[in-house]
Amino acid sequence: MAPVALVVDDSMLIRHTVCRFLEARGYEVESATNGLEALEMIDRLRPGLIVTDLQMPKMTGVELIAAL
């Protein structure tokens, strides 16, 4: 079973680029557009890796990290 990564960024281009990078390295990748969306996904996904932008709408990456 591949390790799970969660990519959190409000930029579609950045999400796409980072997701493809991680998939090429064997990760099963999911993505979210902001910290709030990511927080709702974390219990279900149990990611081993989270890559997050710091400045996003609704909940920033800093707020996401603090909530974790």
Side-chain angles (χ1 to χ4, degrees):
M1 179 190 252
V4 177
L6 177 59
V7 177
V8 189
D9 200 302
D10 57 326
S11 166
M12 184 174 63
L13 178 60
I14 298 295
R15 278 194 323 272
H16 178 78
T17 302
V18 175
C19 286
R20 299 299 81 78
F21 177 86
L22 292 171
E23 286 172 345
R25 282 147 184 84
Y27 283 90
E28 177 183 326
V29 182
E30 296 285 338
S31 66
T33 60
N34 61 65
L36 187 59
E37 184 180 333
L39 200 55
E40 294 171 354
M41 298 170 71
I42 287 172
D43 281 339
R44 176 178 54 86
L45 296 175
R46 311 290 291 173
L49 173 68
I50 299 173
V51 178
T52 184
D53 184 10
L54 295 180
Q55 296 183 343
M56 297 176 288
K58 298 185 182 176
M59 178 185 273
T60 67
V62 174
E63 293 169 327
L64 171 62
I65 292 166
L68 293 174

